[in-house]
Amino acid sequence: MNTILLQNLVTPNVSLQAVLPEMIVAFTGIIVMIYDSFMPKQRMVTGALSLIGLAASAFALFSMWGEAPASSWNGMIANDGLRMSFTLVFLFVSAMTILISTVWTERENVPIGEYHALLLFATFGMMFMAAGNDMVIIFLGLETLSIATYVMAGLRKSDLKSNESAMKYFILGSFASAFLLYGMALIYGATASTNITQIASMVGKANFPALLLIGGAMLIIGFGFKVATVPFHVWTPDVYEGAPTPVTGFMAAGPKASAFASFLRVFVIGFPLVSGAQASAFLHESWVTALTVMAILTMTVGNISAIVQNNVKRMLAYSSISHAGYAMVGFIGAGVAKTMQDRDEAIAAVAFYMLTYAVTNLGAFAIVTLIAQKNDRRTEFDDYNGIGFKSPVLAFSLSLFMLSLLGLPLTAGFMGKVLVFRPALEAGSTLLTVMVVIAVVNTAISAYYYLRLIVVMFFRERTTSWLEPKVSGALAAVLIITILGVFYFGIFSDNVIEKFSGKPSVQSAQIK
Amino acid sequence: MEPSLGSYLALSGILFTIGAVGVIYKRNAIGMFMCIELMLNAVNLTFVAFSRYYGDVTGQLFVFMVMSVAAAEAAVGLGIIIAFFRNRVSVDVDDASILKN
C-alpha cells in the first residue's frame, strides 16, 4: 500500500509567481499583525501599510494578467479571467473598507491594528476562493475568509448587537460550511478527484451519479448560505445590522463576490453539459432549474422585505439579498451558454456586476457610517429626515448611490443589470425568459425603497438637531472614487468587460 | 470481514444528520457548536472512506485540512461565545434577540 502511495506522489510545479498577489496580501497581513503587537494603536501606520500591500498586490495582478500559464500548482491554481476580474474586485473592496474605517480613528476605541490584519487575511481568503481550481483551495480560502469575518463582525466587544451578530454569523456560517464540505466529499466520492477540471471531465462518467447529484445539492445549500440567497438568507439582515457599519459594507461587497466566484467555478466550469452523456445532462438541467427558482425567490423576497424596513442598514441588507438574485441571473446565463466565448462573457458580466455593486454599495456605506455616529446609533430612516439641504454633499452622493442601486441609466448599476440579464435572455428558454421578466419587475419594485430614502432626506422636516459630520480626507477620497466609479462603469463599461473576458479560461481547450 | 464502502457512507450520513438536527433543535450555543463539529467529522469519515476505496491520498489530505480548519474555527468560535456570555451571562441563542424586525 505504502509503495503505491509513494509512486502516486508527484513533484508539484511550484510557481510562486502565479500566487504572487495572494502572497503579498498575506505577508502584509502578517507584518501589520506583528507591528501592531509591538507598537499598538498606530492607526495611521497599519492603515497605510495595508493600503501599500493592497496596491502592490494589484500591481502584481496587473503584471500577470494574461501573462502567467493557464494553471499552475498541478492545476490547483487557475489563472483565467474569472480569477483576475474577481481578484481585482476584492482588492478594491478591501482598500475602500480601510479608508471608510478611518472614521473610527476619531470617535471609537476599536482595536484597529488587529482589524487591518484581519481584513487583509479575509482578502487573502477571498483571493484564494477565486483562484482555487481545486476544492481543497476553495475550502481553505472560504474558511480563511469566514473566520476573519466572524471576528470582524464582533469587533465591538462590549456592544450586545455586535456580539449577537458575530455569534449568529459564526454558528450559521460554520453550519453552512459543513454542508459545503459534505457536498465536496460526495463529489470527491463520485469523481475520485477534487480538481475542478478533472471533475468537469468526469461528470459524464461518474462512478456514482446519484452521489454527484446529492453532492451538488449540498454545495448549493453551502454556497447559497454564503451568497445569501433565499431560502438560505435568514442570517443576513441580523448579521448586517449588528456588525459595525464599515464591516457590513465589506461583507455585502467582498465575501458575497468571492462566494460567487467559487460558486461560478464549481458549477459553471465543474458541472458542464457534456454532449452525449445522459448523467451530465440531468445534473446540468437540475442545477440550472434549482438556481433559477432560487434566483426568482431571492430577488422577490429580498425586495419585498426591504420595503417594510425602517433601519437603513437592514434595508441595505435586504437590498444586497436582492442584488445576489440579479447576479444569479448572469450566473445561470453563464451556465446555459452554448459556446466557450459566450460563457466567458457571461462570467465577466457577473464579475462586472459585483464590481458595480461593490462601488455603489461601498459609497453608500461610507455615508451611512458617517451619519451613524459613535457605536452606530443613528441608522434609522428617521435619522435621515431633512438632511438634504443641510448637508447637500452627503445627501446628493447618497441619492446617486441609491439611483445606481436601483439601476438608473448612465449609472454603474444600470450597465451591470443589462449585462447580467442579456445572456439569460439570449438562451431562449421559457423559464429563463420568465426569470428575466421577474428580475425587471423586481427592479421596478425596488424603486420604492431606494427612492424613499431620497424622499426622506429632501422632503421631510427635521425635528431633532443635526450635527453636520466632519468629512475626513480618507472619506472624501472614498466618495470621489466611488462617484467617479459609478459614472465610469455606467458609461465606459466596454473597456472593463473587454479586460475581464479577454483571456480564454483554463478549460477551453479541454471541453471543446 | 472488512465493512464495505456503503456501511461507512451510511454511518457518516447518520452522523451528519444527527449533527444537522442537533444544530436546529439545540438552544445552547456550545451544544450547537458541538453538533457542527460532529457534522465536520462525519464529512471526514466520508473522505477517508472514499480515499481508501480509490486508493487515492487526496481524500486523506483533505481531512487534514478540515481538522486544522475546525481547530481554528473552535478557537474563534469559543472566543465569540465567551464575548457574548460576558455581556449577557447566557449562552442561550434565544437570548440573542435584539436584532429582529
Side-chain angles (χ1 to χ4, degrees):
Chain A
M1 190 70 190
N2 281 337
T3 46
I4 300 170
L5 290 183
L6 280 177
Q7 276 163 7
N8 288 344
L9 288 178
V10 273
T11 338
N13 59 338
V14 174
S15 153
L16 284 178
Q17 201 236 335
V19 288
L20 193 60
E22 284 83 359
M23 288 295 123
I24 294 175
V25 172
F27 278 115
T28 318
I30 293 169
I31 291 169
V32 166
M33 198 167 63
I34 293 173
Y35 183 88
D36 183 61
S37 58
F38 286 106
M39 277 169 271
K41 310 247 163 167
Q42 303 239 352
R43 294 146 188 269
M44 294 298 279
V45 181
T46 51
L49 271 176
S50 318
L51 284 177
I52 292 169
L54 291 171
S57 173
F59 181 75
L61 181 75
F62 276 113
S63 67
M64 64 188 268
W65 203 303
E67 297 289 322
S71 76
S72 47
W73 296 83
N74 286 342
M76 286 182 114
I77 300 291
N79 199 352
D80 49 7
L82 173 59
R83 173 195 178 184
M84 296 295 164
S85 42
F86 272 100
T87 306
L88 190 66
V89 177
F90 307 147
L91 292 173
F92 174 78
V93 169
S94 201
M96 288 298 116
T97 310
I98 288 173
L99 289 176
I100 295 173
S101 317
T102 52
V103 289
W104 281 342
T105 50
E106 283 162 22
R107 59 185 201 212
E108 274 178 65
N109 190 21
V110 174
I112 205 133
E114 290 165 33
Y115 168 75
H116 285 145
L118 285 170
L119 191 65
L120 289 171
F121 293 140
T123 314
F124 168 77
M126 294 197 287
M127 290 163 86
F128 263 124
M129 280 178 81
N133 195 39
D134 193 292
M135 292 197 295
V136 181
I137 304 287
I138 291 177
F139 170 68
L140 281 178
L142 177 81
E143 286 300 320
T144 315
L145 162 69
S146 302
I147 291 174
T149 352
Y150 300 151
V151 181
M152 279 159 65
L155 210 62
R156 289 204 183 98
K157 270 190 297 192
S158 52
D159 179 35
L160 271 175
K161 275 186 171 180
S162 187
N163 290 158
E164 197 178 313
S165 157
M167 198 164 87
K168 283 183 175 165
Y169 195 23
F170 165 67
I171 287 181
L172 289 171
S174 19
F175 188 52
S177 296
F179 275 98
L180 189 78
L181 210 52
Y182 200 40
M184 287 177 173
L186 294 178
I187 301 284
Y188 169 65
T191 59
S193 173
T194 55
N195 188 293
I196 306 289
T197 316
Q198 278 171 29
I199 289 171
S201 64
M202 282 293 288
V203 282
K205 43 183 192 294
N207 299 326
F208 309 100
L211 283 189
L212 203 59
L213 213 60
I214 303 171
M218 291 280 180
L219 285 178
I220 289 181
I221 297 176
F223 280 125
F225 259 105
K226 298 289 173 190
V227 293
T229 51
V230 177
F232 312 114
H233 68 294
V234 279
W235 59 274
T236 321
D238 287 359
V239 171
Y240 282 20
E241 190 191 337
T245 312
V247 178
T248 311
F250 172 75
M251 288 198 291
K256 191 180 285 261
S258 70
F260 260 113
S262 352
F263 204 174
L264 272 167
R265 193 179 295 285
V266 174
F267 279 81
V268 176
I269 300 180
F271 301 150
L273 189 60
V274 184
S275 50
Q278 186 88 45
S280 93
F282 186 63
L283 177 71
H284 186 264
E285 202 194 308
S286 311
W287 76 254
V288 168
T289 315
L291 289 190
T292 309
V293 174
M294 271 166 77
I296 291 173
L297 282 175
T298 306
M299 293 183 285
T300 317
V301 173
N303 277 319
I304 289 174
S305 315
I307 288 178
V308 295
Q309 300 307 320
N310 284 317
N311 182 301
V312 175
K313 267 167 93 179
R314 227 178 154 80
M315 181 273 273
L316 285 172
Y318 279 109
S319 136
S320 97
I321 293 174
S322 64
H323 277 274
Y326 301 138
M328 261 174 116
V329 175
F331 183 157
I332 294 157
V336 295
K338 302 234 167 22
T339 64
M340 295 311 287
Q341 201 195 346
D342 283 356
R343 193 192 74 183
D344 288 345
E345 270 172 18
I347 290 176
V350 178
F352 180 75
Y353 190 84
M354 293 323 291
L355 182 63
T356 59
Y357 179 66
V359 168
T360 315
N361 206 41
L362 287 169
F365 269 102
I367 295 173
V368 174
T369 308
L370 198 62
I371 292 176
Q373 302 290 359
K374 196 176 177 187
N375 285 336
D376 292 336
R377 274 173 298 152
R378 296 172 198 272
T379 52
E380 300 294 319
F381 267 88
D382 290 344
D383 296 321
Y384 289 74
N385 277 352
I387 64 168
F389 298 105
K390 295 199 170 78
S391 306
V393 178
L394 294 184
F396 276 104
S397 326
L398 190 54
S399 308
L400 174 71
F401 297 133
M402 287 301 129
L403 293 175
S404 175
L405 283 175
L406 168 60
L408 202 75
L410 284 187
T411 60
F414 175 73
M415 273 327 286
K417 279 207 179 89
V418 169
L419 286 166
V420 288
F421 291 171
R422 200 174 54 191
L425 204 56
E426 279 171 357
S429 116
T430 328
L431 185 62
L432 297 194
T433 314
V434 169
M435 176 176 69
V436 175
V437 171
I438 292 177
V440 173
V441 172
N442 264 299
T443 307
I445 296 174
S446 71
Y448 176 82
Y449 58 90
Y450 291 132
L451 295 181
R452 182 177 157 210
L453 189 60
I454 300 178
V455 169
V456 162
M457 283 194 296
F458 286 99
F459 302 108
R460 271 216 206 141
E461 281 298 316
R462 189 163 186 94
T463 45
T464 50
S465 64
W466 168 247
L467 236 116
E468 162 107 42
K470 218 166 53 212
V471 181
S472 66
L475 216 72
V478 172
L479 289 183
I480 291 169
I481 294 171
T482 45
I483 290 172
L484 287 180
V486 164
F487 285 119
Y488 182 81
F489 296 135
I491 299 167
F492 304 105
S493 57
D494 290 353
N495 305 346
V496 186
I497 280 291
E498 217 165 89
K499 183 92 178 153
F500 277 10
S501 59
K503 195 167 177 295
S505 65
V506 194
Q507 278 76 16
S508 46
Q510 280 145 0
I511 294 179
K512 290 279 146 175
Chain B
M1 201 187 102
E2 195 176 280
S4 65
L5 175 67
S7 27
Y8 283 114
L9 291 188
L11 176 62
S12 70
I14 291 167
L15 284 177
F16 189 85
T17 318
I18 293 174
V21 171
V23 174
I24 294 164
Y25 279 94
K26 275 214 172 291
R27 296 277 63 110
N28 181 306
I30 308 267
M32 291 170 93
F33 184 54
M34 283 164 72
C35 289
I36 291 169
E37 291 293 313
L38 188 61
M39 291 166 82
L40 292 181
N41 283 321
V43 173
N44 285 349
L45 184 60
T46 316
F47 268 121
V48 173
F50 280 120
S51 184
R52 169 89 181 163
Y53 177 76
Y54 288 120
D56 172 48
V57 283
T58 322
Q60 300 184 22
L61 208 131
F62 212 130
V63 171
F64 275 112
M65 301 294 175
V66 175
M67 287 199 297
S68 45
V69 162
E73 213 171 50
V76 166
L78 292 176
I80 288 171
I81 294 173
I82 286 170
F84 182 78
F85 179 76
R86 280 212 176 127
N87 293 326
R88 273 258 149 183
V89 202
S90 155
V91 286
D92 197 318
V93 284
D94 287 334
D95 286 339
S97 54
I98 309 173
L99 302 167
K100 279 237 170 87
N101 287 335

